[in-house]
Amino acid sequence: MQPPRLKAPKGTQDFLPEQTRQWQAIERFAREMAALYGFEEIRTPIFEDTALFHRGVGETTDIVTKETYSFETRPGSSGKGRSLTLRPEGTAPVVRALLEAGRLDPPGAVEKLYYLSTPMLRFERPQKGRYHQHHQFGIEAFGIAEPEQDVECMLLQLDFYTRCGLRDLTLHLNSLGDAESKARYSAALREFFAPRVGQLSEESQRRLETNPLRILDSKDPRDVAVREGAAANLDFLSEKSQEHFARVCSLLDDAKVNYQINPSLVRGLDYYTETLWEFTAAGLGSQDAVGGGGRYDNLVETLGGKSVPGVGFGSGMERLLIALEAQGAILPDPYIRPVWVIAQSPPARDEALRLLRS
Ligand code: HAM
């Protein structure tokens, strides 16, 4: 009897030559665009100490509370194992690596880095465009607090999508403000939702305790109904954050980039401050965010560094390819086959091989 054939685990995919050709095409565009904007590549390990994601990504984010693949190593000489986690996202590992290398210590340090086709592992319920393992093209820029850096990241992302042939994109934009604005807004939301707690979904009742901002991006109809009268976050921005956001908007206007200010755009990671954005694309169905990013001015400090501002985005490569296919975009074939050598008789086979290598 033949042994049963094993299948790839649920939520993972194989990419065979028909697909890897397309991956290589978008990888080439990503590298070209990153180089044009002055970003250099970084590669970090596929697993990290669990504490990196708990501290960096946030104790209360969905990614950390229920979506990571974590495991204990075998006990070492101290008799204790270590808790490691497969990388669910790229920003915290990049910060860890730069801090470890001391590159964010010199005053005025600036680092502009990208990662490409980087596997990310999240235990989310799989569906079209959402997998246990996905891959990202991401960039992270450190050391520049000015709004120009936010907009440069968005333009790089937009230029990359355009270069790939993606159309029908929408840029959603929001600002959470600095840590103080964010805290004031969270407090106001708690106050608003507390008397209505019974009307919220179970998930949002939990969020009310941990991170009330996340109630704003819940898709549950109960939460959508309850949050109708909630105050808008932009009213809670400090003067400095208002100026930052206004400048981001005017720079995008100057660059003739269309955007929609979307006050319910919160994004699922705790480290964001100030500007947040997400690009959605036609052809993706319910998982329509092709890539998103934002500013994270306190993350380096949270992970033990000095106060160094940062901003960047992560773009899902599977989703980009799904959207390109749905839109009928044609990617260039990365293989150039200028010459074919055909041996027409057995003796010619020796010569054919020699010719191939000449
Ligand atoms: P994120 O929004 O969690 O952000 O993920 C970035 C992108 O990765 C999403 O917009 C989506 O295209 C793709 N993605 C996320 N989860 C999945 C999944 N389960 N299956 C398929 N694709 C997925 C981050 O990860 C941040 N680190 C981005 C960032 C970088 N912010 C600042 N710098």
Side-chain angles (χ1 to χ4, degrees):
M1 204 178 67
Q2 277 199 324
R5 295 187 187 189
L6 296 175
K7 291 196 166 145
K10 200 169 168 214
T12 69
Q13 297 175 86
D14 300 311
F15 299 108
L16 299 171
E18 292 70 29
Q19 288 98 38
T20 53
R21 249 176 253 149
Q22 300 185 322
W23 279 75
Q24 288 182 25
I26 62 173
E27 283 165 355
R28 184 158 65 82
F29 293 147
R31 286 191 196 285
E32 279 174 13
M33 215 45 84
L36 200 60
Y37 278 81
F39 285 74
E40 289 203 83
E41 190 177 359
I42 183 165
R43 301 185 193 198
T44 62
I46 197 153
F47 54 78
E48 297 273 357
D49 273 319
T50 296
L52 175 68
F53 300 113
H54 273 270
R55 284 164 60 206
V57 176
E59 302 275 351
T60 61
T61 63
D62 288 347
I63 293 185
V64 166
T65 52
K66 50 184 195 209
E67 290 169 7
T68 54
Y69 287 89
S70 299
F71 55 97
E72 291 284 321
T73 60
R74 268 182 263 159
S77 50
S78 66
K80 273 172 67 181
R82 277 172 85 158
S83 176
L84 299 175
T85 292
L86 300 183
R87 169 184 50 210
E89 66 95 47
T91 312
V94 169
V95 173
R96 198 267 312 132
L98 290 177
L99 286 176
E100 192 166 337
R103 293 175 70 121
L104 295 178
D105 293 334
V110 169
E111 291 284 344
K112 293 170 80 176
L113 299 162
Y114 76 92
Y115 40 91
L116 183 58
S117 294
T118 304
M120 306 289 174
L121 292 117
R122 299 183 187 181
F123 197 69
E124 296 177 282
R125 194 171 46 79
Q127 64 180 85
K128 184 183 167 204
R130 191 165 74 189
Y131 311 101
H132 287 328
Q133 171 171 301
H134 74 279
H135 299 77
Q136 286 186 17
F137 165 43
I139 65 159
E140 314 290 353
F142 297 90
I144 299 175
E146 280 69 33
E148 281 77 1
Q149 187 60 76
D150 311 21
V151 174
E152 186 191 51
C153 293
M154 288 182 234
L155 294 179
L156 189 167
Q157 193 175 0
L158 180 60
D159 288 350
F160 164 62
Y161 293 146
T162 310
R163 185 84 175 83
C164 292
L166 194 64
R167 291 171 290 104
D168 296 332
L169 281 162
T170 308
L171 170 58
H172 302 264
L173 197 62
N174 194 15
S175 172
L176 296 176
D178 49 23
E180 192 192 304
S181 315
K182 216 172 139 180
R184 274 196 293 143
Y185 188 47
S186 294
L189 287 179
R190 270 206 187 94
E191 217 167 282
F192 175 82
F193 286 117
R196 300 166 173 84
V197 63
Q199 294 155 259
L200 291 170
S201 67
E202 296 71 33
E203 186 71 23
S204 285
Q205 293 186 12
R206 188 181 59 80
R207 288 178 176 140
L208 187 57
E209 299 294 317
T210 55
N211 183 0
L213 286 170
R214 290 302 310 277
I215 302 175
L216 300 177
D217 69 355
S218 158
K219 293 199 171 76
D220 191 299
R222 288 170 289 178
D223 300 333
V224 174
V226 182
R227 69 171 176 241
E228 284 261 293
N233 62 332
L234 295 175
D235 300 338
F236 286 78
L237 298 188
S238 66
E239 209 172 306
K240 201 163 151 265
S241 296
Q242 277 179 30
E243 278 169 19
H244 186 102
F245 192 53
R247 176 88 179 132
V248 166
C249 294
S250 86
L251 287 166
L252 287 170
D253 292 336
D254 288 350
K256 309 236 170 335
V257 173
N258 290 325
Y259 56 89
Q260 283 179 13
I261 296 181
N262 180 351
S264 64
L265 178 71
V266 180
R267 303 200 19 83
L269 300 144
D270 275 0
Y271 51 59
Y272 289 123
T273 51
E274 308 289 356
T275 322
L276 279 185
W277 72 89
E278 207 155 76
F279 280 92
T280 55
L284 275 172
S286 68
Q287 300 300 312
D288 63 352
V290 69
R295 196 163 258 293
Y296 44 86
D297 288 344
N298 303 320
L299 180 60
V300 176
E301 239 177 322
T302 307
L303 293 174
K306 295 186 180 156
S307 171
V308 179
V311 55
F313 69 77
S315 182
M317 300 184 64
E318 287 83 353
R319 286 196 196 171
L320 172 59
L321 288 166
I322 295 174
L324 286 171
E325 193 181 339
Q327 296 184 6
I330 295 170
L331 285 163
D333 186 340
Y335 291 107
I336 304 164
R337 304 181 189 82
V339 178
W340 296 83
V341 177
I342 301 166
Q344 286 188 311
S345 65
R349 282 160 62 177
D350 298 353
E351 194 51 34
L353 210 53
R354 266 197 292 277
L355 264 173
L356 268 181
R357 297 197 64 213
S358 61

